[in-house]
Amino acid sequence: MPLGGGNKCGRCSKTVYFAEEVLCDKRSFHKSCFLCMVCGKNLDSTTVAVHMDEVYCKACYGKKHGPKGYGYGQGAGTLSMDKGESLGITHETPAPHCLTTNANPSKMAQKFGGSDKCPRCGKAVYAAEKVIGAGSSWHKIGCFTCATCGKSLESTTLADKDGEIYCKGCYGKNFGPKGFGYGLGAGALAHTQ
């Protein structure tokens, strides 16, 4: 402890006496000086964030020194449009996107450049949404459903006929055996004409 009664405040550089001392990052502050560098909010051990020799509240620290971009909002499910101009943050304008003219006709380029087409909607099926059934690639959401009732299918619950997919129940009703004794449930009788 230096002469004069106490440590020097990390904000105002005046003497900090024991009764008014707040310690943070091996430095002393007056309680009244322990404030966010940007917004001036009072800080405590649960709300402080230190960067270099500056103290911030967690919100201002995140805006000034945290990650930037889509998905880094202030809370659950929020999207902040604040780019931090009030904090002195400047952004560079990205260069315009230029299309490449790669005319590589190799098999590798064709394989990775193209994708399978969904037999239900005719659109491209990418790996993240792909499910394989009846020898084709389908969109897991929306397309991999029974052609009759629309029920979502899995590889263990589908039956196919002529390139179309069905749940086992609808397949049995439409394409299964007909006549006396071929019902849908245990002991059921189906009357067909």
Side-chain angles (χ1 to χ4, degrees):
M1 190 181 306
L3 295 175
N7 296 323
K8 298 295 180 190
C9 178
R11 172 70 54 94
C12 69
S13 300
K14 295 181 182 175
T15 302
V16 180
Y17 296 99
F18 182 74
E20 59 184 355
E21 184 177 39
V22 176
L23 291 172
C24 177
D25 201 35
K26 299 179 184 175
R27 293 185 297 153
S28 296
F29 292 89
H30 293 104
K31 286 181 184 176
S32 59
C33 290
F34 195 52
L35 307 170
C36 175
M37 299 287 290
V38 177
C39 69
K41 287 182 184 176
N42 287 323
L43 300 172
D44 63 29
S45 63
T46 62
T47 60
V48 70
V50 179
H51 183 78
M52 308 298 264
D53 286 337
E54 300 173 334
V55 291
Y56 302 94
C57 67
K58 289 186 178 181
C60 290
Y61 175 84
K63 288 178 187 175
K64 189 162 184 163
H65 301 290
K68 306 291 185 280
Y70 180 80
Y72 292 104
Q74 302 303 310
T78 62
L79 176 61
S80 174
M81 299 306 286
D82 180 6
K83 295 181 181 175
E85 286 89 1
S86 63
L87 305 174
I89 298 171
T90 57
H91 297 279
E92 294 179 17
T93 307
H97 181 69
C98 297
L99 295 174
T100 60
T101 56
N102 182 7
N104 185 355
S106 73
K107 291 285 186 187
M108 209 56 141
Q110 290 174 6
K111 178 175 174 55
F112 290 106
S115 60
D116 298 330
K117 301 281 185 217
C118 176
R120 180 75 43 90
C121 68
K123 295 181 182 174
V125 181
Y126 299 102
E129 58 191 353
K130 180 190 234 180
V131 64
I132 297 175
S136 299
S137 297
W138 303 74
H139 291 107
K140 173 75 172 158
I141 308 295
C143 295
F144 198 62
T145 58
C146 175
T148 304
C149 69
K151 178 178 164 185
S152 289
L153 299 173
E154 294 181 17
S155 61
T156 60
T157 62
L158 79 91
D160 68 288
K161 178 153 177 85
D162 300 328
E164 193 55 80
I165 55 175
Y166 303 90
C167 66
K168 289 188 176 183
C170 289
Y171 181 87
K173 286 180 194 174
N174 296 323
F175 308 109
K178 304 279 190 274
F180 183 78
Y182 291 104
L184 297 176
L189 294 176
H191 179 70
T192 59
Q193 295 183 355

